Amino acid sequence: ASVISRAMAADLVQEGLSVVALAALAAAVCEAISWLLFYRTDSYRDMRQAVERTNQKIAKAQEEAARSKEEQDAKGKARAKAKRVARFEEDLRLIDREIGNFQRNSTLAVVVVSIFIYAILCSSYEGVVVARLPFEPFEALDFLARRGLLGDDRRECSGALLYSLALVSFRSNLQKALGFCPPKKFAQVQAARQQAAYIHSKHMTL
Amino acid sequence: MATLVHWLRQVIGLSLGIAWGLLGIRGYTGFILYVLLSISTVPAICSNRLSLEGKRLGEVMSFEMAKEGFLPAFALFMVTWIMTYTAVHA
């Protein structure tokens, strides 16, 4: 019985690994499409350079505004410097929006290809258990965890769940490794700096 | 800084997934332990091993950094936990 169960476990691992490999391939294809339609283009490069230039202008303008406040310059001068910072921040928001609009086409192509690969996976792994879950998933996730599976065993894992998890992980990590990430949105960068300054001011430690 | 936090989180996700699978940890305890360890380990490593302090450490401890790489690391943790558990305890 233990030989049979070891053989079954080996089969399960093999199925699981083949699903993970398919997810890795799908992630590579999606990133290749993103690179071809978006990251490789001159428009993206120009927009990225515009973001970096504007960030530098904002940093410089913030320094000048802070210095002006410290030196207690005339109210009008300090206000003008603060307005300058706000203007550059608005320029950055517009560039963020432009990047988002331009990225829409490549995102659409990636979604279409992802759906196609997902459909192939679901039909190939119909009724096939690819792994054993160490937990019972919520019923709300049954559409993914038990897709195409028969029987009542809630710890059986379908190809769809494993594929989705692996794809999320591989795509993000591939994007990070290859540098295929649009620059962080201005609002996120600002929020991170404000939170860091707050933590530092309260002398929070571990 | 964001890149460092991202990759640290991936390594922690991978390690904990393998560890949880080998130890046979089951149920939602595994998730809760993972989330707690993932959130606390990254700033601890940055502070102790990398000697970050002041505003840079504050950046690592911020909510924005807590989100950095969390979802891909969680997905990686799930995949490794499921696969290791299947290989060892199925």
Side-chain angles (χ1 to χ4, degrees), chain A residues 5 9 12-17 20 130-138 155 157 161-162 164-166 168-170 172-174 176-177 184 187-189 191-193 195-197 199-200 204-206, chain B residues 2-3 6-7 10 25-28 31 40 43-45 47 53-65 67-68 71-79 81-83 85-90:
Chain A
S5 65
L12 274 182
V13 171
Q14 206 175 350
E15 295 287 0
L17 286 176
V20 170
V130 301
R132 192 125 183 96
L133 295 173
F135 55 89
E136 270 191 32
F138 294 125
R155 301 262 309 282
C157 179
L161 178 65
L162 200 58
S164 305
L165 290 170
V168 164
S169 178
F170 289 151
S172 298
N173 289 322
L174 205 54
K176 205 75 179 176
K184 276 204 176 297
Q188 285 175 298
V189 173
R193 283 200 194 127
Q195 287 160 19
I199 289 168
H200 179 61
M204 285 186 193
T205 53
L206 296 159
Chain B
T3 309
H6 175 99
W7 290 115
Q10 306 314 303
I25 292 179
R26 287 158 58 157
Y28 291 100
F31 289 110
S40 57
I45 291 173
S47 164
E53 49 189 26
K55 271 196 178 157
R56 292 195 84 199
L57 184 60
E59 220 178 301
V60 173
M61 289 169 67
S62 68
F63 181 64
E64 284 298 318
M65 280 300 177
K67 292 191 298 182
E68 185 68 36
L71 192 58
F74 181 71
L76 184 61
F77 159 73
M78 291 280 287
V79 169
W81 185 19
I82 290 169
M83 291 303 302
Y85 180 85
T86 304
V88 177
H89 297 283

Side-chain angles (χ1 to χ4, degrees), chain B residues 3-50:
Chain B
T3 309
L4 170 71
V5 169
H6 175 99
W7 290 115
L8 259 178
R9 217 157 244 141
Q10 306 314 303
V11 169
I12 290 167
L14 184 71
S15 316
L16 291 181
I18 293 172
W20 274 206
L22 289 174
L23 293 171
I25 292 179
R26 287 158 58 157
Y28 291 100
T29 321
F31 289 110
I32 295 166
L33 280 174
Y34 167 76
V35 169
L36 291 173
L37 282 171
S38 172
I39 288 175
S40 57
T41 312
V42 171
I45 291 173
C46 289
S47 164
N48 295 327
R49 289 279 172 213
L50 303 174

Side-chain angles (χ1 to χ4, degrees), chain A residues 52-200:
Chain A
E52 279 157 25
R53 271 197 312 267
T54 315
N55 273 328
Q56 283 167 1
K57 283 182 192 170
I58 289 174
K60 199 176 169 191
Q62 279 173 339
E63 259 172 59
E64 283 173 8
R67 209 180 309 133
S68 181
K69 208 176 169 185
E70 265 174 32
E71 289 167 3
Q72 289 172 331
D73 284 351
K75 245 190 185 165
K77 212 175 173 184
R79 211 181 300 142
K81 292 206 191 267
K83 255 188 170 173
R84 209 158 164 247
V85 173
R87 203 178 67 235
F88 288 142
E89 286 173 354
E90 187 53 35
D91 288 344
L92 195 56
R93 278 192 200 96
L94 285 171
I95 300 172
D96 280 344
R97 214 176 302 158
E98 251 185 78
I99 291 176
N101 289 338
F102 186 61
Q103 201 177 11
R104 222 173 278 158
N105 288 337
S106 76
T107 307
L108 191 61
V110 164
V111 165
V112 166
V113 167
S114 300
I115 290 173
F116 179 67
I117 296 175
Y118 183 73
I120 292 175
L121 171 102
C122 288
S123 64
S124 308
Y125 285 88
E126 181 83 29
V128 177
V129 176
V130 301
R132 192 125 183 96
L133 295 173
F135 55 89
E136 270 191 32
F138 294 125
E139 277 181 22
L141 291 175
D142 272 356
F143 73 95
L144 202 57
R146 298 207 36 82
R147 190 177 178 86
L149 295 182
L150 307 163
D152 295 327
D153 190 350
R154 294 187 55 74
R155 301 262 309 282
E156 287 176 345
C157 179
S158 72
L161 178 65
L162 200 58
Y163 171 81
S164 305
L165 290 170
L167 187 66
V168 164
S169 178
F170 289 151
R171 266 206 80 192
S172 298
N173 289 322
L174 205 54
Q175 281 171 355
K176 205 75 179 176
L178 298 174
F180 290 175
C181 319
K184 276 204 176 297
K185 289 205 177 337
F186 172 67
Q188 285 175 298
V189 173
Q190 211 177 28
R193 283 200 194 127
Q194 282 168 355
Q195 287 160 19
Y198 176 79
I199 289 168
H200 179 61

